[in-house]
Amino acid sequence: MQVRRTSYCSFLLAWFASYSSCASAWAHAGKSAAKRWEHRVVELDESKHDEEFWTFVTRPDLDAPRWNITIYDKAAVAPGYWFVAPYEEVEQEEGSAAWNAPHIYDQDGQLIWSGAPMFDGYSTFDFRVSNVRGEPMLTAIRPHYEYTAILDNTYTNVENVSIGLRDPEWDGIGHNMHEFLTVENGTRALFMNRSPKRASEEYSAAIGYDGECHAQYDGFVELDTDTWEPVFEWNSYGYIGLDESFVTQDPLEERCEGEVNDVWDFLHFNSIDKFANGDYLLSGRPSNAIYRISRNDGSVVWRLGGKKSDFDLPITFSGQHAAKIRAEDDNRVLVSFLDNAFGPGEPQTTNDASRGLLLALDTNTMTVEVVQEFKHPDGEYTEGQGNLQWVPGTDHAWICWRNKAMHTEHAADGSLIMEARFKAGVRNYRSFKLQWVGRPAQPPDVRSTAVQTRDDTIETIVFMSWNGATEVRQWQIYETNPSGTNTTLVATVDKTGFETTIWIKGYLGHVLVEAVDALGEKLGEPSVFATVPTLEQLVEADEYTSWIPSVLTNPMIAFLLGMIASVAGCLGAWGVIVSKRGDLTLPRWKRKQQMYASLSEEDKDSSELHDRQKHTDAEPERSGLLAGEDGHGVGED
Ligand SMILES: *[C@@H]1O[C@H](CO)[C@@H](O)[C@H](O)[C@H]1NC(C)=O
Ligand SMILES: *[C@@H]1O[C@H](CO)[C@@H](O)[C@H](O)[C@H]1NC(C)=O
Ligand SMILES: *[C@@H]1O[C@H](CO)[C@@H](O)[C@H](O)[C@H]1NC(C)=O
Ligand SMILES: *[C@@H]1O[C@H](CO)[C@@H](O)[C@H](O)[C@H]1NC(C)=O
């Protein structure tokens, strides 16, 4: 009698337990399906950007550093694009990541162009727009290959100009990665080089060295840009003495006995410019001096700064970079440069922080006036490199402070207009703000994919970008057939950043995308892109994965499952009771406890099995479709 009552009771409890486990499995299935959908949306929408670098659905080969920008005076910001080339090392054993490449950004810090695919991970320097034969071109020094690459406004690499040393008389060769400057409406190009040479006993005696001191004698070359033949060459040997260098920390013997690849770099030219009369302006970093070199006889016309300055200076500068002629007339020259105030020589610092300087040189009285000082926003030192440039058509100074590629724009009175630095720690040698119109020869990059949302509607997602195109303002998206002959405009969107994404209701099997400029003119030739997955794949995938919730939602099946579970539970309870007969001496509550514990273990097992099936079957299939890995459009090549 007691046994029958217990089994009746356990039947009810077993039925209740199995029904609730079924219900909870159903609820759980519904919830995890919802999560997966949301996850998909997030993954597609946010692309793969992280805080420090951008990566794009349309261009997985790019890896552009992102900016942290602070604008102090929005109205004053001069128009122009930023030209930077973040780098890892000057000399690299092998190519590195895609961020190590020349990049163009707009003034909001949005990526315009990455040279990563073209520049194969080997560092580039002095990347900027140069006038070459009267045309604006991109130029970038490539130390690894010892040439300057020249790209036209379609981003086609039209020339590589060798910057290796040309004079066979010298006992070694050396390129100089600091500057490639075109002048005189692009008819002439200037770059520096370096030549290891044994100084004469007389020159060596100037520093008290008994013998022939082995030193790096820097020079420069002027080329005709039609033929790339030299029209003028000059070397510092015989003009600039070893005794002008501040780099004297190492013992004399060590300095003067260096091997060819490691000679005393006593002068280290790091910038060049040309005067109207043909003379040249050069900056020697370890000599803390700026030199005017005569075009007529190669002599040093004057020295500004350093141990043998021809000018009376109201300030001291050191380790300076990018000495440039801002303006000149008969007896006055305005010279600007970045005073790193942090030399490779002794003393190491000459000011409490690095600064930009604009100096007025009076060449009659040989006196100097400080016209303007541009302060480092953080009051820090740029320990090497950096530059100061004038934004064309304005009186704004643009300064690169190297670390984190920080660059700043300053008004003529020195006040800060804006600053930007990379969020990642990567550095940059020089930065320029310049005008540029890029019309890439390569077509836009488009990816089209589709998803089915929870309420069973399909949406097509189109990603569009065009590496280097400066003129795009809008994208027009057309639905089309595989041959692109029948087109219907479905959406027009403003270009947002490098990559624009649009969600369109419905399934578009093929899309055709047109870039439109500010005047509404179409740019380039459109191509047709197939959506991945196809509609069939999408529906199949959805049917495949949605059987679990749909089965569980069906009330008939749920009821049957409940019944099966409760019968099983009942039989199980009966079995327990029978096997426990001998234990009838146990208190009733204790027997019940043992029985329920074994039942809930069973239930747990069966719900885990459900979960496992769901995950292993469904997920790989989906992520494969979603990633759109081979989503190349038909027309893309
Ligand atoms: C610069 O060169 C281009 C191309 O040769 C020419 O059309 C233009 O007139 C030149 N400009 C000046 C100022 O000489
Ligand atoms: C420049 O050099 C690269 C190799 O570094 C080469 O792939 C490219 O074709 C060269 N360009 C020209 C115009 O010669
Ligand atoms: C952005 O720069 C400012 C200084 O201008 C700094 O205070 C801030 O921490 C930087 N933020 C990030 C995310 O790097
Ligand atoms: C062009 O496409 C539209 C919309 O898909 C369709 O209604 C129309 O029949 C097509 N025309 C031709 C000639 O295929």
Side-chain angles (χ1 to χ4, degrees):
M1 192 62 201
Q2 200 191 27
V3 169
R4 206 180 301 152
R5 217 184 310 134
T6 312
S7 94
Y8 186 68
C9 211
S10 69
F11 172 81
L12 276 178
L13 278 163
W15 187 86
F16 180 72
S18 56
Y19 185 80
S20 43
S21 77
C22 219
S24 85
W26 175 28
H28 177 75
K31 223 171 27 202
S32 69
K35 253 192 210 137
R36 262 204 318 279
W37 289 120
E38 277 157 27
H39 183 63
R40 277 170 65 162
V41 171
V42 167
E43 221 172 46
L44 288 169
D45 217 12
E46 294 295 306
S47 178
K48 292 176 284 174
H49 305 325
D50 66 22
E51 180 62 17
E52 298 180 339
F53 294 92
W54 272 309
T55 43
F56 303 100
V57 171
T58 49
R59 294 302 301 253
D61 54 338
L62 311 186
D63 192 20
R66 301 179 69 166
W67 295 93
N68 175 6
I69 306 172
T70 313
I71 295 177
Y72 299 96
D73 184 355
K74 197 165 172 43
V77 174
Y81 294 99
W82 307 347
F83 293 78
V84 294
Y87 78 99
E88 196 168 328
E89 296 295 338
V90 176
E91 310 275 358
Q92 284 169 260
E93 294 278 314
E94 49 191 79
S96 64
W99 62 262
N100 187 2
H103 287 80
I104 305 174
Y105 293 87
D106 70 12
Q107 51 177 304
D108 299 320
Q110 295 288 336
L111 183 69
I112 293 292
W113 180 73
S114 164
M118 185 180 286
F119 288 87
D120 63 13
Y122 287 97
S123 306
T124 52
F125 296 90
D126 199 31
F127 169 58
R128 56 164 125 179
V129 182
S130 298
N131 176 342
V132 181
R133 298 183 293 264
E135 296 293 330
M137 302 267 192
L138 298 175
T139 53
I141 294 178
R142 310 203 65 198
H144 182 74
Y145 297 104
E146 299 200 347
Y147 64 65
T148 292
I150 301 182
L151 278 57
D152 66 11
N153 70 349
T154 70
Y155 301 92
T156 304
N157 175 203
V158 288
E159 269 159 309
N160 296 328
V161 179
S162 168
I163 54 168
L165 185 72
R166 288 149 186 277
D167 192 339
E169 263 182 41
W170 305 100
D171 62 0
I173 61 156
H175 59 272
N176 179 321
M177 45 59 78
H178 289 96
E179 182 149 13
F180 183 89
L181 178 76
T182 61
V183 293
E184 290 156 25
N185 197 22
T187 58
R188 297 284 186 266
L190 302 165
F191 63 86
M192 293 158 289
N193 53 24
R194 46 198 189 132
S195 321
K197 175 144 182 81
R198 293 211 167 268
S200 69
E201 286 188 0
E202 184 198 339
Y203 293 157
S204 304
I207 51 165
Y209 184 69
D210 190 12
E212 296 187 333
C213 185
H214 201 196
Q216 192 76 268
Y217 279 94
D218 284 7
F220 65 87
V221 182
E222 177 171 340
L223 304 180
D224 179 324
T225 57
D226 276 326
T227 58
W228 299 113
E229 287 300 318
V231 293
F232 188 77
E233 286 182 82
W234 184 89
N235 188 277
S236 54
Y237 187 78
Y239 298 108
I240 296 175
L242 300 172
D243 55 337
E244 292 187 39
S245 187
F246 286 83
V247 177
T248 54
Q249 294 96 321
D250 293 337
L252 202 51
E253 280 65 34
E254 217 168 280
R255 267 182 278 150
C256 289
E257 300 299 338
E259 295 297 316
V260 164
N261 293 323
D262 187 29
V263 293
W264 181 26
D265 194 10
F266 81 102
L267 184 55
H268 194 98
F269 278 157
N270 60 17
S271 74
I272 186 164
D273 205 356
K274 196 173 179 187
F275 287 91
N277 78 340
D279 288 357
Y280 304 91
L281 187 76
L282 286 118
S283 160
R285 182 174 169 231
S287 65
N288 299 348
I290 294 165
Y291 302 86
R292 180 172 183 154
I293 308 298
S294 165
R295 171 71 199 243
N296 285 337
D297 58 10
S299 63
V300 177
V301 180
W302 47 246
R303 289 166 171 81
L304 173 70
K307 289 185 181 168
K308 299 181 176 177
S309 182
D310 293 299
F311 292 90
D312 280 334
L313 274 157
I315 52 158
T316 306
F317 60 85
S318 64
Q320 76 287 338
H321 282 81
K324 294 286 152 188
I325 303 154
R326 173 72 173 137
E328 55 169 319
D329 61 26
D330 289 346
N331 49 32
R332 230 170 106 90
V333 186
L334 287 178
V335 172
S336 66
F337 54 92
L338 177 65
D339 173 20
N340 298 60
F342 192 102
E346 294 282 357
Q348 192 159 54
T349 61
T350 49
N351 189 44
D352 55 10
S354 298
R355 56 186 168 175
L357 283 174
L358 177 62
L359 305 183
L361 281 50
D362 186 322
T363 49
N364 281 338
T365 60
M366 299 310 274
T367 54
V368 174
E369 184 197 327
V370 178
V371 179
Q372 197 51 253
E373 186 179 332
F374 304 95
K375 288 188 171 8
H376 190 300
D378 302 336
E380 290 175 1
Y381 289 108
T382 299
E383 294 174 11
Q385 311 187 340
N387 70 319
L388 186 158
Q389 171 235 340
W390 299 91
V391 182
T394 73
D395 52 10
H396 293 182
W398 180 258
I399 302 179
C400 167
W401 308 91
R402 183 175 78 163
N403 291 350
K404 286 194 159 205
M406 180 164 74
H407 51 213
T408 52
E409 184 170 341
H410 302 256
D413 66 0
S415 62
L416 201 53
I417 294 172
M418 65 82 70
E419 67 176 81
R421 58 187 97 196
F422 281 150
K423 293 179 178 177
V426 298
R427 60 193 172 170
N428 177 41
Y429 159 51
R430 279 181 170 188
S431 168
F432 296 89
K433 185 176 210 178
L434 300 164
Q435 300 297 320
W436 175 243
V437 176
R439 300 180 182 280
Q442 299 283 318
D445 293 288
V446 176
R447 294 285 180 280
S448 178
T449 186
V451 292
Q452 188 156 15
T453 52
R454 250 191 305 166
D455 58 5
D456 265 358
T457 56
I458 294 182
E459 297 207 48
T460 305
I461 312 161
V462 184
F463 302 85
M464 299 148 286
S465 71
W466 201 354
N467 194 23
T470 55
E471 304 307 287
V472 182
R473 295 295 172 274
Q474 287 192 319
W475 294 102
Q476 292 182 343
I477 299 98
Y478 296 82
E479 178 175 18
T480 189
N481 50 353
S483 58
T485 47
N486 183 8
T487 58
T488 314
L489 182 65
V490 291
T492 300
V493 280
D494 288 342
K495 175 182 184 266
T496 49
F498 182 83
E499 183 171 81
T500 305
T501 308
I502 181 173
W503 289 65
I504 300 165
K505 280 222 153 40
Y507 186 85
L508 311 184
H510 291 83
V511 295
L512 183 148
V513 170
E514 294 249 39
V516 177
D517 71 11
L519 301 172
E521 299 288 330
K522 289 178 178 170
L523 299 162
E525 293 298 317
S527 329
V528 176
F529 297 87
T531 298
V532 177
T534 63
L535 189 57
E536 290 70 30
Q537 286 169 329
L538 191 67
V539 169
E540 226 171 72
D542 200 64
E543 278 167 359
Y544 190 64
T545 52
S546 59
W547 69 269
I548 297 170
S550 72
V551 160
L552 291 175
T553 341
N554 187 318
M556 254 334 262
I557 292 175
F559 178 76
L560 280 175
L561 282 175
M563 285 309 288
I564 292 165
S566 58
V567 168
C570 182
L571 289 174
W574 181 251
V576 170
I577 290 158
V578 169
S579 73
K580 296 284 177 184
R581 269 215 175 148
D583 291 341
L584 281 179
T585 47
L586 280 175
R588 223 157 61 176
W589 64 268
K590 189 88 181 171
R591 270 182 273 135
K592 263 190 188 167
Q593 201 185 33
Q594 283 178 351
M595 183 171 72
Y596 297 159
S598 68
L599 281 175
S600 58
E601 279 307 307
E602 250 177 60
D603 286 334
K604 225 162 61 197
D605 284 354
S606 73
S607 72
E608 263 175 17
L609 183 67
H610 272 270
D611 271 351
R612 251 199 317 275
Q613 257 171 2
K614 201 167 58 207
H615 287 292
T616 51
D617 290 354
E619 300 223 331
E621 188 74 16
R622 286 192 161 216
S623 54
L625 290 172
L626 287 170
E629 267 145 27
D630 49 6
H632 283 263
V634 180
E636 195 197 42
D637 198 350

